Amino acid sequence: MKNRIVCYFSAAQSEQPLIYRLVRNYDLIVNIIKADINPQKEGYLVMEVEGSREQYDQGVEFLKNLGIMVEPLSETVIWEPETCIQCGACASFCPTEALAIDRATMEVSFENSRCVVCEMCLDCCPTRAIKLYFEIKEAAS
């Protein structure tokens, strides 16, 4: 199973070797998508976690037992083609090529399955054709 989760943590929890333990103790594949830690060492970590269902559940339980709040990634990027002026600025900033420009037609396209919600495209779009959409989901178990 593969799932994208967000972990919210305190300063004390940020000192823990979380990724190391998820990989070593639970044999999970962890891909860090985004992290933000403030000067007080509190913050969040967005990651994609892959492994067997049992390993995944045990790894998430480990994080929760440390007091880390774990939720499924609940935001997605929405591209509004009717608002897009096809300038291609977003494609130059997109690290996963979810937003791409076809050189033959010079048209921008968006493939949501490639998007990791890094938000780099949001500020560069002059028409604001790219937005964040928030879903309400139950916490991962």
Side-chain angles (χ1 to χ4, degrees):
M1 98 171 274
K2 184 190 284 190
N3 208 1
R4 292 180 181 176
I5 59 173
V6 184
C7 299
Y8 298 93
F9 51 86
S10 68
Q13 296 157 336
S14 71
E15 299 291 329
Q16 300 289 324
L18 304 174
I19 305 302
Y20 171 79
R21 289 188 180 162
L22 288 174
V23 172
R24 182 171 172 111
N25 298 351
Y26 303 99
D27 199 27
L28 293 168
I29 299 167
V30 178
N31 180 26
I32 298 171
I33 297 171
K34 184 177 180 180
D36 186 34
I37 302 171
N38 67 25
Q40 292 77 33
K41 294 188 177 182
E42 301 167 329
Y44 68 91
L45 176 66
V46 180
M47 58 185 166
E48 188 172 69
V49 181
E50 183 177 358
S52 73
R53 177 69 169 172
E54 182 181 352
Q55 294 164 319
Y56 174 83
D57 289 344
Q58 289 175 357
V60 169
E61 191 61 30
F62 158 74
L63 294 172
K64 288 179 177 181
N65 287 338
L66 289 177
I68 295 170
M69 186 168 49
V70 180
E71 297 178 355
L73 180 62
S74 60
E75 61 183 10
T76 14
V77 169
I78 302 293
W79 175 63
E80 298 175 342
E82 63 280 353
T83 309
C84 181
I85 59 172
Q86 303 293 320
C87 70
C90 57
S92 64
F93 284 93
C94 186
T96 62
E97 297 180 0
L99 285 156
I101 190 160
D102 182 329
R103 295 296 172 197
T105 63
M106 295 306 288
E107 290 186 1
V108 174
S109 64
F110 178 61
E111 187 178 333
N112 196 316
S113 64
R114 297 181 71 130
C115 181
V116 295
V117 195
C118 71
E119 301 179 23
M120 292 180 68
C121 58
L122 296 175
D123 293 329
C124 69
C125 180
T127 62
R128 302 292 180 235
I130 305 166
K131 298 180 167 75
L132 277 181
Y133 174 74
F134 296 90
E135 299 173 24
I136 299 172
K137 294 185 178 179
E138 293 180 30
S141 56

